[in-house]
């Protein structure tokens, strides 16, 4: 089954790659017309009686999805519940093929708020709405890939929703900045009665990743026609591990980094490791007994590649081995939503909705071997030697990184329709997202023995305020339908805050510099002859005092160690900031059925940004009804996106995998920061876009609906994270001169830049067929997306490796096929997920790359109903236990599968769910 299905999808994939996109669209259109005509010749089939009303992509009330000028998909509550996950990101990723997500086990805040993309563009290119109102962004700046700053979809529980709409069309002129790739609208429940309780339990067949979820919804009547709907979810997710023992061998050298860079220093039988290629052995009297130049530096401790030889390497985490864990993080969360409306007259109603979400997640960082600079021995003020390996971390350590994400919002307003037909919606909304970071099982090396092992590195906050006034009026002009004249105004204030951490998380301790207590001095000798240039050197280490010679070259007084809580240094006061932006906007949106066949839609939007000036965007869309069962549609429009305050102000120093494949410190600085200026950075500008689409919606047979749409998105001056710039000795000195905390440890630098023009194009396919058979009702649904992104212009800040990975690093083709069978009190769901092939490279000269093959995953779920109130559900995701191919590079340190893999790499997940429903 797996082989046949994969082969069929592969053939489809090859055909798509072989023919131009527009030709494929024309071919599909011709096929649809022929089917429609043949169906008309044989028998007239009436369209389905139940029409899906859309609330996005059009401002005309009661417009259906098939009749709209732009492609809109509607996913019902039943479809959302068919994906058994406590994370809405996974739900949308499963049912929307153009929506991709990766799992980042060791990537700072990206471990908690996972990076997503729609149509191959970043999360900030997609607008997220709740009940049609803009959702605020997450506090996290994604610092992987090109860097993204979008909303946290994972804070929305599925139990709170009645449907999800996806607008597969650029709509920046319609909804403002961010809607370049499309729009996702989450519609909250509006039930006036009833109670629903679900209890779920599941886990991976590997024996980890257990998840317990309890969620509930209750509806209440407000007055005669109002409602109050309350929803909540609590889940506890255990971590998983798909790791192998930490292998630190450098390819081709025959040595591990520990052996290649570390030497021994033995004092009174205690062995220390330093950066020099010599071994010094001191006797009890402090004199040097032996000097062995060119020592092999092999450490005397056990094999550091296997953490189960040690205890306490990973702190209090659930897994004791291996030293470094790659898998899903540990997570506990509680999500609450409320939605309400109450008529206040025959014409108007007040409404409101809001949420409070709390998530606490923990994961690991890179393992620090005993020989790394963070654990070097140090001379203290009394002359004694302090070795953090002697008692604190004898076998090295793995920092444990945690974060509490608090997300809340509130929105309310007044809406209604006057007697003259004028509809209005006046609203006010506010939303905030905050990340409170914690790091444990680590140290601030520069503090020596005074270091804590737990720190609070600081907080990130993104909050937004919006005031909207929206109006629409139908105007009869004698055409087939009235002109729907919509207009409105918007004010938005967006603010991004970086709060400093606790002082010890960024403190520059005495041991950030060599010989902080002046045990080795050099002074000018007092001499009668001023022409003499005589100096005296003196070593004042207790027991090693000498005049006329320096302290031993391998002595710990020469060691310098990093600054800040290791793994994630705290935000120092100079990194803390608060940046605000104001945005005023107005729009006019005109839509009318000129004839029974032809619909026209035109709109224009004006925006004023307090920091980027004025911009005008526009859009034209049309739909032509070719037959009763076939609509042609298309659109063209411009877009604009200013860099977010977070992209302008973010400063971050963290550990990344460097070009050598080993962990190293990376600094991300604002484009206008002096550090970025050293590498040529310029102030950020806004992005401009031009988009167009062409497609059709057809209902050629009774129960069959089909849509196919081609899209093309051009982005100029696209805002991206630069490639890594190596920091050499000269740059290190400049960073130190600028007073950059931890300058001596930063190995590479990145910053945001307008360095890329990109072109994204693709095809979206959606087909649904409802039929009777096999003793019950059946629904077959197929959704597919073919997407390709190309960088048409690339400046000097983005290298060829980044370009190759952006263009080839995700599958061009993704498809989802599902079959639902309902019979009496039994439901069966089968879902197949297909991921096309993709490639990655590891070098800027493109000399090394790996091609990953296509994968197919099968999900299944069976539901048994007991009466009208109880149901039991059992199912599994990825029943064939399919994994992507193992990474051949950029998978160091115990990692098997690439973290940026769009193909899931956790294996089979099985679950049970008990549901109680009271009408």
């Amino acid at each position: 089954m797996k082989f046949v299905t994969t082969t069929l999808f592969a053939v489809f994939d090859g055909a798509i790659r072989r023919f131009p996109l527009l030709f494929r669209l024309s071919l599909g259109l011709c096929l649809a017309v022929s089917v429609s005509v043949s169906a008309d010749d044989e028998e007239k089939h009436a369209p389905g009686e139940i029409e899906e009303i859309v609330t996005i992509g059009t401002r005309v009330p009661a417009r259906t999805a098939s009749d709209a000028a732009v492609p809109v998909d509607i996913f019902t509550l039943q479809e959302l519940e068919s994906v058994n996950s406590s994370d809405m990101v996974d739900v949308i990723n499963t049912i929307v093929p153009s929506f991709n997500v990766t799992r980042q086990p060791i990537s700072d805040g990206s471990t908690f708020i996972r990076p997503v993309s729609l149509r191959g563009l970043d999360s900030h290119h997609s607008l997220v709405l709740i009940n049609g109102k803009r959702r605020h962004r997450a506090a996290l700046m994604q610092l992987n890939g090109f860097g993204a700053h979008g909303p946290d979809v994972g804070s929305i529980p599925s139990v709170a929703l009645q449907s999800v709409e996806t607008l597969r069309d650029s709509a920046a002129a319609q909804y403002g900045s961010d809607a370049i790739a499309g729009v996702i609208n989450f519609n909250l429940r509006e039930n006036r009665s009833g109670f629903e309780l679900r209890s779920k339990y599941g886990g991976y067949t590997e024996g980890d990743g257990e998840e317990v979820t309890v969620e509930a919804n209750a509806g209440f009547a407000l007055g005669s026609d109002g409602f109050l709907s309350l929803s909540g979810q609590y889940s506890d997710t255990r971590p998983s591990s798909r790791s192998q023992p930490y292998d630190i061998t450098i390819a081709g050298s025959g040595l591990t980094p520990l052996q290649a860079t570390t030497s021994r220093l033995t004092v009174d039988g205690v062995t220390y490791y330093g950066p020099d290629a010599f071994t010094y052995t001191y006797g009890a009297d402090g004199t040097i007994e032996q000097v062995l130049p060119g020592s092999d530096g092999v450490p005397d401790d056990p094999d550091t590649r296997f953490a189960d030889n040690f205890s306490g390497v990973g702190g209090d985490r659930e897994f004791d081995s291996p030293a470094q864990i790659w898998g899903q993080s540990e997570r506990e969360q509680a999500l609450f939503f409320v939605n309400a409306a109450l008529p206040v007259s025959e014409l108007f109603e007040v409404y409101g909705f809001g949420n409070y979400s709390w998530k606490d997640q923990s994961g690991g960082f890179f393992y620090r071997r005993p020989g790394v600079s963070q654990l070097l021995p140090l001379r203290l003020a009394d002359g004694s030697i302090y070795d953090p390996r002697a008692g604190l971390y004898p076998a090295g350590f793995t920092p444990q990184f945690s974060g509490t994400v608090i997300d809340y919002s509130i929105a309310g307003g007044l809406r209604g329709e006057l007697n003259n037909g004028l509809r209005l919606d006046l609203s006010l909304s506010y939303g905030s997202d905050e990340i409170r970071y914690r790091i444990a099982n680590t140290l601030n090396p520069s503090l020596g023995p005074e270091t804590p092992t737990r720190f609070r590195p600081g907080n990130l906050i993104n909050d937004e305020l919006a005031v909207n006034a929206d109006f629409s009026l139908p105007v009869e002009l004698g055409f087939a339908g009235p002109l729907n004249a919509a207009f409105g105004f918007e004010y938005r204030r967006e603010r991004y805050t970086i709060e400093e951490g606790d002082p010890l998380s960024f403190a520059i301790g005495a041991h950030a510099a060599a010989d902080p207590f002046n045990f080795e001095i050099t002074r000018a000798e007092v001499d009668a002859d001023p022409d003499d240039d005589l100096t005296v050197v003196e070593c004042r280490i207790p027991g090693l005092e000498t005049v006329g010679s320096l302290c031993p070259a391998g002595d710990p007084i020469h060691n310098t160690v990093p600054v800040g809580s290791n793994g994630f240094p705290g935000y120092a006061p100079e990194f803390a900031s608060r940046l605000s932006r104001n945005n005023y906007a107005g729009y006019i949106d005109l839509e009318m059925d000129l004839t029974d066949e032809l619909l026209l839609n035109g709109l224009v939007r004006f925006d004023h940004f307090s920091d980027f000036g004025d911009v005008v965007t526009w859009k034209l869309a049309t739909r032509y009804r070719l037959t009763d069962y076939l609509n042609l549609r298309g659109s063209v429009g411009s877009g604009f996106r200013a860099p977010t305050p977070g992209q302008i102000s973010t400063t971050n120093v963290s550990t990344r995998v460097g070009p050598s494949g080993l962990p190293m410190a990376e600094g991300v600085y604002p484009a206008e920061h002096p550090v970025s200026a050293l590498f040529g950075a310029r102030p950020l500008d806004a992005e401009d876009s031009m988009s167009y689409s062409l497609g059709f919606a057809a209902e050629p047979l009774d129960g069959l609906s089909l849509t196919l749409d081609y899209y093309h998105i051009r982005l100029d001056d696209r805002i991206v994270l630069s490639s890594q710039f190596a920091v050499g000795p000269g740059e290190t000195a400049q960073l130190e001169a600028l007073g950059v905390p931890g300058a001596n440890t930063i190995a590479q630098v990145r910053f945001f830049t307008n360095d890329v023009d990109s072109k994204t194009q693709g095809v979206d396919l959606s087909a649904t067929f409802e039929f009777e058979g096999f003793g019950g009702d059946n629904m077959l649904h197929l959704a597919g997306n073919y997407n390709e992104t190309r960088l048409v212009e690339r400046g000097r800040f983005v290298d060829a490796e980044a370009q190759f990975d952006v263009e080839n690093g995700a599958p061009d083709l993704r498809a989802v096929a599902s079959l639902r069978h309902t019979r009496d009190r039994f439901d069966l769901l089968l879902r197949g997920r297909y991921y096309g092939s993709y490639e990655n490279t590891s070098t800027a000269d493109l000399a090394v790359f790996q091609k990953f093959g296509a994968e197919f995953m099968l999900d299944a779920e069976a539901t048994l109903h007991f009466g009208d109130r109880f149901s039991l559900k059992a199912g599994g995701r990825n029943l064939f236990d399919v994994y992507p191919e193992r990474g051949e590079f950029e998978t160091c340190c115990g990692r098997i599968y690439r973290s940026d893999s769009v193909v899931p790499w956790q294996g089979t997940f099985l679950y049970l769910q008990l549901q109680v429903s009271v009408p």
Side-chain angles (χ1 to χ4, degrees), residues 360-588:
D360 192 88
Q361 296 182 240
S362 297
F365 269 173
F366 287 100
Y367 168 54
R368 273 65 171 167
R369 306 180 308 276
V372 295
S373 61
Q374 292 90 342
L375 295 176
L376 290 176
L378 305 167
R379 285 280 183 186
L380 303 182
D382 61 1
S384 62
I385 295 177
Y386 164 71
D387 184 2
R389 288 161 297 196
L392 190 59
Y393 299 121
F397 65 101
T398 301
Q400 296 303 286
F401 190 60
S402 305
T404 300
V405 181
I406 297 178
D407 184 286
Y408 60 91
S409 67
I410 185 169
L414 175 72
R415 61 192 174 201
E417 182 176 341
L418 300 177
N419 293 326
N420 62 357
L422 177 68
R423 294 180 295 273
L424 60 85
D425 185 346
L426 309 177
S427 65
L428 171 68
S429 61
Y430 175 80
S432 174
D433 189 88
E434 179 179 0
I435 303 178
R436 301 173 182 175
Y437 286 129
R438 306 186 309 276
I439 189 167
N441 201 56
T442 185
L443 76 166
N444 181 339
S446 68
L447 297 178
E450 304 303 320
T451 180
T453 58
R454 295 176 177 269
F455 302 86
R456 291 189 175 271
N459 306 323
L460 301 176
I461 305 172
N462 190 95
D463 68 307
E464 299 179 30
L465 173 70
V467 180
N468 291 83
D470 300 288
F471 307 89
S472 65
L473 178 66
V475 181
E476 292 290 347
L477 298 178
F479 292 94
L483 170 69
N484 189 78
F487 58 96
F489 309 93
E490 180 181 45
Y491 165 77
R492 278 198 303 131
R493 188 215 65 201
E494 187 173 359
R495 184 169 55 192
Y496 193 76
T497 304
I498 302 175
E499 294 184 342
E500 68 180 79
D502 66 67
L504 294 182
S505 70
F506 56 79
I508 303 175
H511 301 284
D515 192 16
F517 305 111
N518 298 316
F519 285 116
E520 181 177 273
I521 63 172
T522 301
R523 67 174 186 270
E525 183 178 34
V526 178
D527 189 85
D529 188 351
D531 295 330
D532 289 342
D533 187 17
L534 301 177
T535 59
V536 174
V537 294
E538 180 179 351
C539 180
R540 302 191 300 180
I541 298 175
L544 298 176
E545 296 94 337
T546 59
V547 177
S549 63
L550 297 173
C551 295
D555 193 272
I557 71 163
H558 301 297
N559 291 336
T560 60
V561 291
V563 171
S565 46
N566 191 248
F568 195 93
Y571 295 117
E574 53 267 36
F575 289 171
S577 64
R578 172 173 289 185
L579 182 64
S580 296
R581 165 189 296 148
N582 295 318
N583 170 218
Y584 301 88
Y587 69 87
I588 298 175

Side-chain angles (χ1 to χ4, degrees), residues 265-315:
L265 173 63
T266 303
V267 180
D268 294 336
V270 179
T271 301
Y272 304 96
Y273 304 99
D276 305 302
F278 296 92
T279 297
Y280 297 87
T281 302
Y282 291 84
D285 59 357
T287 61
I288 298 176
E289 292 184 342
Q290 191 177 27
V291 179
L292 300 176
S295 167
D296 62 5
V298 178
D300 293 333
D301 57 0
D303 186 353
T304 56
R305 291 177 299 170
F306 299 93
D308 54 2
N309 291 332
F310 316 107
S311 60
V313 168

Side-chain angles (χ1 to χ4, degrees), residues 497-744:
T497 304
I498 302 175
E499 294 184 342
E500 68 180 79
D502 66 67
L504 294 182
S505 70
F506 56 79
I508 303 175
H511 301 284
D515 192 16
F517 305 111
N518 298 316
F519 285 116
E520 181 177 273
I521 63 172
T522 301
R523 67 174 186 270
E525 183 178 34
V526 178
D527 189 85
D529 188 351
D531 295 330
D532 289 342
D533 187 17
L534 301 177
T535 59
V536 174
V537 294
E538 180 179 351
C539 180
R540 302 191 300 180
I541 298 175
L544 298 176
E545 296 94 337
T546 59
V547 177
S549 63
L550 297 173
C551 295
D555 193 272
I557 71 163
H558 301 297
N559 291 336
T560 60
V561 291
V563 171
S565 46
N566 191 248
F568 195 93
Y571 295 117
E574 53 267 36
F575 289 171
S577 64
R578 172 173 289 185
L579 182 64
S580 296
R581 165 189 296 148
N582 295 318
N583 170 218
Y584 301 88
Y587 69 87
I588 298 175
D589 184 347
L590 305 177
E591 183 172 334
M592 180 171 60
D593 288 290
L594 285 175
T595 68
D596 291 337
E597 294 80 21
L598 181 62
L599 177 151
L600 292 179
N601 176 220
L603 56 95
V604 63
R605 182 183 180 95
F606 171 81
D607 282 90
H608 170 76
F609 293 85
S610 58
D611 50 356
F612 284 93
D614 302 335
V615 63
V616 175
T617 52
W618 57 272
K619 181 177 180 179
L620 297 174
T622 185
R623 184 266 299 145
Y624 184 76
R625 184 175 293 113
L626 193 62
T627 72
D628 289 342
Y629 312 103
L630 178 63
N631 290 339
L632 306 182
R633 59 196 181 194
S635 68
V636 59
S638 65
F640 173 91
R641 195 190 74 84
T644 69
Q647 290 175 321
I648 296 173
S649 61
T650 285
T651 303
N652 178 276
V653 177
S654 58
T655 304
R656 304 279 173 177
V657 176
S660 64
L662 297 175
M664 58 178 56
E666 176 183 280
V668 176
Y669 297 94
E672 298 187 44
H673 195 280
V675 173
S676 303
L678 292 176
F679 299 92
R682 298 182 296 270
L684 288 177
D685 201 353
E687 298 176 339
D688 294 308
S689 69
M690 180 62 66
S691 309
Y692 60 87
S693 66
L694 180 64
F696 69 83
E699 295 179 355
L701 301 171
D702 189 20
L704 174 64
S705 61
L706 175 69
T707 68
L708 183 69
D709 294 274
Y710 165 79
Y711 58 87
H712 183 283
I713 304 170
R714 168 71 183 242
L715 266 173
D716 291 332
D717 297 324
R718 182 172 171 179
I719 300 167
V720 299
L721 262 178
S722 72
S723 297
Q724 295 89 351
F725 287 87
V727 176
E731 289 84 5
T732 297
Q734 290 176 297
L735 298 186
E736 291 175 340
L738 292 171
V740 175
N744 64 325

Side-chain angles (χ1 to χ4, degrees), residues 898-912:
R898 294 182 60 93
S899 298
D900 57 3
S901 170
V902 172
V903 181
W905 45 273
Q906 298 292 297
T908 300
F909 186 89
L910 303 178
Y911 58 86
L912 287 171

